[in-house]
């Protein structure tokens, strides 16, 4: 009989604690609103990306890792920058190689989907 009363009191305490936790502080929010963790302007738009930009870049963390859309945007931008640089290097190599160089030097550069801006 004592065990039954003890279990009933424990049940009432648990139900009361859960109710207070759900209801919270009344009209006040239990937790303040959090600002979204997003990359505002991770890479510069007005100039080419340099090593320091990549070193300073910090991608936002989501509950299960990184946000795929944010990472995809950064990787796409980096792919476009690298494709532009590869194309420019191929053009300069072809220009300095002279007339005896193979004509397909610039054709080998694959700009892919990120090569256009």
């Amino acid at each position: 009989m004592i065990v039954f009363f003890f279990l009933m009191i424990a049940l009432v305490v648990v139900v009361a604690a859960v109710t207070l936790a759900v209801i919270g502080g009344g009209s006040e929010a239990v937790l303040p609103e959090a600002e979204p963790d997003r990359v505002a302007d991770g890479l510069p738009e007005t100039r080419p990306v340099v090593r320091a930009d990549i070193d300073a870049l910090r991608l936002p963390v989501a509950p299960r890792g990184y946000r795929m859309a944010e990472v995809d945007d950064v990787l796409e931008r980096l792919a476009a920058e690298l494709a532009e640089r590869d194309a420019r290097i191929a053009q300069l190599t072809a220009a300095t190689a002279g007339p005896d160089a193979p004509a397909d030097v610039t054709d080998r550069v694959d700009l892919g989907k990120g090569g256009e801006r």
Side-chain angles (χ1 to χ4, degrees):
M1 194 69 159
I2 294 174
V3 175
F4 176 73
F5 285 120
F6 178 73
L7 289 176
M8 288 303 290
I9 291 172
L11 180 65
V12 169
V13 169
V14 169
V15 168
V18 170
T19 303
L20 287 176
V22 170
I23 292 174
S27 63
E28 296 178 15
V30 177
L31 295 175
E33 289 295 321
E35 294 182 26
D37 188 19
R38 301 274 182 202
V39 174
D41 203 10
L43 297 174
E45 295 291 331
T46 58
R47 62 177 172 77
V49 176
V50 295
R51 172 69 188 254
D53 296 329
I54 303 301
D55 291 339
L57 182 66
R58 296 293 174 254
L59 297 172
V61 179
R64 296 182 128 195
Y66 291 97
R67 290 188 176 95
M68 287 193 299
E70 299 283 337
V71 174
D72 288 344
D73 290 344
V74 169
L75 290 176
E76 190 172 312
R77 171 74 191 277
L78 290 174
E81 292 277 342
L82 289 174
E84 282 182 25
R85 290 180 186 175
D86 288 346
R88 183 69 178 145
I89 289 170
Q91 288 174 350
L92 293 173
T93 302
T96 59
D100 297 334
D104 66 339
V105 172
T106 57
D107 294 337
R108 288 184 281 168
V109 176
D110 181 22
L111 295 179
K113 77 172 193 178
E116 302 170 4
R117 281 198 181 177

